[in-house]
């Protein structure tokens, strides 16, 4: 994703920067409809691809940084060890029935919040990922090895929250839309000065394949969003 958007950004910025009004001049000396359309579309494509490329690189670096911060340090345990230590008293209280009936999820949330506040690196990662305690800590019904339905506690770590943010960027429809707009802009450039009848023929051919691409990619993007 990052590689494709970076290459596309390079081509788009080069085309946008090489725009010359005299090459698109109409009979009255103006840029003309096609020239204006090409310039506007390439401005969108250049800005969007630069955004996706730069943001993608930075988020990938932030993810690896957050993942490295899960390891133990001289002043703290690892993420897994800290969670295990914080959850142990709650699990023991559940085993003895010590006044946690009806408040089990709340008790786990409080223990999890203690882990987050213990290290600024972890709390900052959760804040950057835009996740809250009600979204990263969930009880789900699962089938055990004995074919019994049991409630299991699932918890997202700081690095996983960052990866969710990366996935949301990948989900955005701006990427395929930008690719289509870039193809349209290059088609306008290729048809510069061409007769209108030939333009209609080329547009019909491109529309056929773009429609097929939309038909193929539609279910895939629906899968990303389910």
């Amino acid at each position: 994703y990052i590689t494709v958007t970076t290459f596309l950004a390079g081509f788009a910025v080069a085309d946008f920067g090489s725009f010359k009004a005299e090459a698109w001049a109409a009979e009255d000396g103006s840029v003309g409809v096609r020239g204006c359309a090409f310039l506007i579309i390439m401005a969108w494509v250049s800005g969007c691809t630069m955004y996706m490329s730069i943001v993608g690189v930075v988020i990938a670096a932030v993810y690896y940084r957050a993942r490295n911060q899960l390891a133990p340090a001289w002043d703290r345990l690892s993420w897994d060890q800290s969670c295990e230590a914080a959850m142990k008293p709650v699990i023991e209280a559940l085993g003895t029935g010590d006044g946690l009936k009806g408040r089990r999820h709340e008790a786990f949330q409080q223990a999890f919040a203690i882990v987050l506040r213990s290290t600024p690196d972890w709390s900052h990662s959760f804040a950057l990922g835009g996740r809250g305690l009600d979204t990263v800590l969930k009880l789900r019904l699962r089938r055990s090895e004995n074919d019994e339905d049991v409630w299991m506690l699932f918890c997202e770590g700081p690095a996983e929250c960052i990866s969710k943010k990366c996935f949301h960027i990948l989900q955005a429809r701006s990427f395929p839309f930008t690719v289509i707009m870039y193809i349209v802009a290059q088609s306008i450039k290729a048809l510069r000065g061409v007769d209108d009848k030939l333009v209609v023929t080329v547009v019909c051919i491109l529309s056929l394949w773009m429609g097929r691409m939309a038909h193929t990619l539609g279910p895939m993007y629906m899968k990303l969003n389910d």
Side-chain angles (χ1 to χ4, degrees):
Y1 175 83
I2 296 174
T3 303
V4 172
T5 54
T6 301
F7 272 107
L8 187 58
F11 287 120
V13 172
D15 285 338
F16 182 67
S18 62
F19 179 85
K20 295 181 180 180
E22 57 270 17
W24 296 82
E27 295 180 357
D28 57 356
S30 62
V31 177
V33 176
R34 297 183 189 178
C36 291
F38 176 81
L39 190 61
I40 293 172
I41 293 174
M42 288 309 301
W44 164 270
V45 173
S46 299
C48 189
T49 52
M50 285 191 296
Y51 166 80
M52 291 187 293
S53 175
I54 295 173
V55 171
V57 171
V58 173
I59 286 184
V62 170
Y63 166 75
Y64 283 106
R65 173 63 175 167
R67 193 177 68 174
N68 291 337
Q69 290 174 340
L70 301 180
W74 66 272
D75 60 341
R76 69 167 186 257
L77 299 173
S78 69
W79 168 258
D80 292 335
Q81 292 171 338
S82 299
C83 288
E84 184 179 353
M87 300 300 177
K88 186 176 180 180
V90 181
I91 296 174
E92 292 177 351
L94 290 176
T96 59
D98 189 16
L100 289 180
K101 186 176 181 180
R103 297 187 299 109
R104 298 176 180 179
H105 194 230
E106 180 183 351
F108 280 117
Q109 283 185 333
Q110 292 175 354
F112 187 73
I114 294 174
V115 177
L116 281 184
R117 298 190 190 100
S118 65
T119 304
D121 291 337
W122 298 342
S123 59
H124 293 165
S125 296
F126 271 97
L128 181 60
R131 313 288 283 177
L133 292 180
D134 56 336
T135 58
V136 299
L137 194 65
K138 294 181 178 180
L139 287 172
R140 297 176 181 174
L141 191 62
R142 288 289 184 269
R143 179 75 65 175
S144 66
E145 296 179 355
N146 299 327
D147 291 334
E148 296 179 354
D149 292 334
V150 295
W151 287 98
M152 299 182 66
L153 183 68
F154 288 85
C155 172
E156 292 181 4
E160 190 174 355
C161 289
I162 300 295
S163 67
K164 292 282 187 180
K165 197 173 187 68
C166 298
F167 184 71
H168 288 321
I169 293 179
L170 184 61
Q171 276 182 305
R173 290 182 172 84
S174 56
F175 176 69
F177 178 76
T178 301
V179 173
I180 292 174
M181 288 296 99
Y182 183 73
I183 296 173
V184 171
Q186 293 304 309
S187 301
I188 294 174
K189 184 178 180 180
L191 296 172
R192 180 175 52 191
V194 177
D195 183 70
D196 291 340
K197 294 182 179 179
L198 183 58
V199 172
V200 173
T201 303
V202 173
V203 168
C204 291
I205 296 173
L206 288 175
S207 299
L208 173 65
W209 285 103
M210 286 186 181
R212 184 172 181 178
M213 180 171 60
H215 176 74
T216 303
L217 293 179
M220 299 181 184
Y221 268 86
M222 290 178 63
K223 179 60 182 177
L224 287 175
N225 290 314
D226 64 7

